[in-house]
Amino acid sequence: LRFHISGNLANSEGEEEGDLKYQHTVSQCIHLYMWGFICMFLFVMILMKLQGQADTMKDEAEEEAKRIEHRLLGENTDAELALLRREGDNAESKQARAEFVERLLEMLVVAFSMGMAWSMFFATKWYIAQTGTGQGDDALLALVVAVCISGVCFLSIYFIDKLADADWTDDLMDAVLYQVIKAIGILIGFSWEQTFDAAVAALSSRAANPIAAKLFLTAFCVGLVIPAW
């Protein structure tokens, strides 16, 4: 998608080499932002469509299973037992379909959440880089991007959470809004992961043994972040 928009092919680590990251236009940034919003719109629509359907199918399957179990406790003829077994098989089939819909929902939400987060991240990075901020200093550029994204995302999460707490939003809408908050959290995580990565690369490049320094700094970052996480 980034190559289609900008014409610049990223390397194996997803980074644009040299000064390519500073040469994007505002229209390219807007184009990538649009794809981020499209991904958000799609996963919200999928959630609203499939979440209610999956919950309904699961509730119906559980109710039918309880009803069959209750009937099996009574006295039944062989024909009635055979009928109950068929009904039990149908209930299990419904439950399996409900679980499949839930798994499909989870995969689609994760895919579109990732698409939204990466699109928003690189669009912001392109926009800030094209202003000349951090040119020649990848760590500074990554830090500015992370701070800007975090500030906007924290405000967004605050208002979305207030919206979810409102009395006029139903349970399905609340679930959708909380998924949006999780997707925004992924975006914040991406931005700071890139900052840590750029900082580790910058510091280790100035060491006598860059590989050992990078290993030590990576272990330090892991020890710092994992307990908080």
Side-chain angles (χ1 to χ4, degrees):
L1 180 58
R2 290 159 56 200
F3 173 71
H4 172 72
I5 294 172
S6 67
N8 298 332
L9 185 63
N11 60 21
S12 59
E13 295 182 356
E15 293 293 333
E16 294 168 310
E17 297 177 347
D19 292 333
L20 291 176
K21 64 173 72 68
Y22 301 100
Q23 298 173 2
H24 297 287
T25 63
V26 175
S27 62
Q28 290 175 348
C29 300
I30 293 173
H31 196 168
L32 195 54
Y33 272 124
M34 287 175 60
W35 277 107
F37 283 114
I38 288 171
C39 287
M40 179 183 290
F41 174 78
L42 287 175
F43 96 73
V44 167
M45 291 299 101
I46 290 169
L47 268 173
M48 295 186 69
K49 179 66 177 177
L50 294 184
Q51 185 69 55
Q53 182 180 348
D55 291 342
T56 301
M57 291 172 63
K58 191 173 182 180
D59 292 341
E60 289 177 354
E62 289 177 354
E63 288 178 5
E64 190 169 349
K66 289 179 181 179
R67 180 177 58 81
I68 293 170
E69 184 179 357
H70 180 72
R71 288 174 60 188
L72 284 171
L73 295 176
E75 295 182 0
N76 300 284
T77 63
D78 291 341
E80 288 173 337
L81 287 173
L83 179 61
L84 288 173
R85 290 192 188 97
R86 284 197 297 272
E87 291 179 356
D89 292 338
N90 291 334
E92 289 179 0
S93 178
K94 285 183 179 179
Q95 189 149 7
R97 286 198 298 271
E99 291 173 355
F100 171 77
V101 170
E102 283 186 333
R103 288 196 298 271
L104 177 63
L105 174 66
E106 183 177 353
M107 288 188 294
L108 290 174
V109 167
V110 169
F112 285 115
S113 297
M114 292 288 185
M116 183 276 291
W118 279 120
S119 297
M120 295 290 189
F121 169 76
F122 280 107
T124 304
K125 185 175 182 178
W126 286 1
Y127 182 78
I128 294 175
Q130 62 88 28
T131 64
T133 302
Q135 190 160 5
D137 190 342
D138 290 344
L140 177 60
L141 174 62
L143 179 61
V144 172
V145 171
V147 171
C148 292
I149 286 177
S150 297
V152 174
C153 287
F154 289 154
L155 284 174
S156 301
I157 289 172
Y158 175 80
F159 288 113
I160 292 172
D161 184 60
K162 288 293 185 183
L163 183 61
D165 291 339
D167 295 333
W168 52 272
T169 55
D170 58 16
D171 292 340
L172 178 58
M173 180 57 69
D174 290 346
V176 170
L177 291 173
Y178 286 130
Q179 285 292 339
V180 172
I181 289 175
K182 289 180 181 179
I184 294 173
I186 293 173
L187 172 57
I188 296 171
F190 281 163
S191 67
W192 284 104
E193 183 273 332
Q194 292 287 312
T195 304
F196 275 69
D197 183 63
V200 167
L203 290 172
S204 62
S205 66
R206 289 166 172 78
N209 189 337
I211 296 176
K214 194 167 188 177
L215 178 62
F216 171 77
L217 289 169
T218 301
F220 173 77
C221 291
V222 169
L224 184 69
V225 172
I226 286 184
W229 179 68

